[in-house]
Amino acid sequence: QVQLVESGGGLVQAGGSLRLSCAASGSIFSINIRGWYRQAPGKQREMVATITRGGTTNYADAVKGRFTISRDNAKNTVYLQMNSLKPDDTAVYYCSADWKRYSYSMIRDAWGQGTLVTVSS
C-alpha cells in the first residue's frame, strides 16, 4: 500500500512563512510525488505547484514568486516552501503521487490526508 504523509501546516500571520513536507512510502514498484494541491473552504481543489523527477517545476499564478517546490528523490520527499503568505492561501494542502504496484501495473494516483494552513490577517 502507498502512504503519503504531509507535515508542516499550521497557523501563521500574513507575511509569514511555512514549509510543507510530503514523504512517500510503500512496498510497491515505483512512486512519484507530482506536487501540491490545495482546497479552501467552499472551493474546488486546485493545483499549487508540481515538480517532475528531473526538477522541472510549474506553479499556479497565485503563488508564483512566493512558493518554491523542491524534491529529494533519495528520500522520496517533496517540499513546499511558502513565503509571503496571504489570508487567501488558507486551505488544506494535499500532496499527490503516481504509483505502480508492479512494473506491469497501471499507474494509479494517491493523495495524502492533507495539512491545514491558516493565514491570519
Side-chain angles (χ1 to χ4, degrees), residues 3-4 8 17 21 23 30 32 35 39 45 47 53 56 64 66 70 74 78 81 89 93 100 106 110 114:
Q3 283 190 324
L4 296 177
S17 299
S21 298
S30 69
N32 176 47
Q39 188 166 17
R45 191 172 298 187
M47 185 274 290
R53 279 192 180 276
T56 300
K64 280 182 182 176
R66 300 188 297 122
S70 61
V78 170
Q81 178 66 43
D89 295 318
Y93 285 70
K100 298 174 71 173
M106 291 179 60

Side-chain angles (χ1 to χ4, degrees), residues 45-62:
R45 191 172 298 187
E46 61 178 3
M47 185 274 290
V48 175
T50 61
I51 185 168
T52 67
R53 279 192 180 276
T56 300
T57 58
N58 184 43
Y59 296 93
D61 288 343

Side-chain angles (χ1 to χ4, degrees), residues 9-24:
L11 173 64
V12 64
Q13 287 188 332
S17 299
L18 284 174
R19 188 190 193 211
L20 306 183
S21 298
C22 173

Side-chain angles (χ1 to χ4, degrees), residues 5-99:
V5 179
E6 299 119 332
S7 61
L11 173 64
V12 64
Q13 287 188 332
S17 299
L18 284 174
R19 188 190 193 211
L20 306 183
S21 298
C22 173
S25 63
S27 299
I28 53 175
F29 173 72
S30 69
I31 185 165
N32 176 47
I33 302 174
R34 292 194 306 267
W36 291 92
Y37 300 75
R38 68 186 181 186
Q39 188 166 17
K43 295 186 177 181
Q44 289 189 331
R45 191 172 298 187
E46 61 178 3
M47 185 274 290
V48 175
T50 61
I51 185 168
T52 67
R53 279 192 180 276
T56 300
T57 58
N58 184 43
Y59 296 93
D61 288 343
V63 306
K64 280 182 182 176
R66 300 188 297 122
F67 291 10
T68 302
I69 189 171
S70 61
R71 68 188 302 148
D72 184 335
N73 288 331
K75 294 182 179 180
N76 251 343
T77 301
V78 170
Y79 306 96
L80 185 67
Q81 178 66 43
M82 305 186 294
N83 298 328
S84 302
L85 282 160
K86 305 175 181 179
D88 284 350
D89 295 318
T90 295
V92 177
Y93 285 70
Y94 301 89
C95 64
S96 182
D98 294 324
W99 63 281

